[in-house]
Amino acid sequence: MATSTVLKKELHLVFTDATKQDVEIVVTFPKEGVTKTEIDTVGQLMVEKDVIRGRKDHPLTSFQHGTLVTTESTMVE
């Protein structure tokens, strides 16, 4: 029985919009070794520069946090 393992990495950025709703953006290929400082800086800049919008075009009002998510999948053949 042969197996192969695949690692998938994502960066989940969580913001709050003008209606106090959480808005989550998923970056599917974050750079290797990204730091908390880099994540916080990018999140704050996205809010300040009005780069993206929340639901129904509401502006983002704050960056909450970023989470690196790693998923390991093993295919059994």
Side-chain angles (χ1 to χ4, degrees):
M1 178 180 341
T3 62
S4 60
T5 300
V6 176
L7 286 178
K8 176 181 165 185
K9 295 181 182 181
E10 296 178 335
L11 173 59
H12 294 231
L13 302 171
V14 180
F15 302 86
T16 301
D17 71 11
T19 65
K20 308 285 189 230
Q21 296 289 318
D22 283 349
V23 176
E24 184 172 335
I25 304 298
V26 178
V27 179
T28 55
F29 296 101
K31 78 172 190 172
E32 193 65 38
V34 66
T35 66
K36 179 179 180 348
T37 300
E38 291 170 323
I39 293 168
D40 291 345
T41 299
V42 167
Q44 290 298 334
L45 280 172
M46 290 175 78
V47 172
E48 291 170 16
K49 301 294 183 182
D50 198 22
V51 174
I52 57 174
R53 293 290 180 111
R55 292 171 192 85
K56 298 184 180 178
D57 202 35
H58 292 290
L60 300 181
T61 57
S62 65
F63 173 66
Q64 298 302 313
H65 65 274
T67 304
L68 284 168
V69 177
T70 303
T71 305
E72 181 177 324
S73 301
T74 302
M75 181 182 293
V76 179
E77 298 171 5

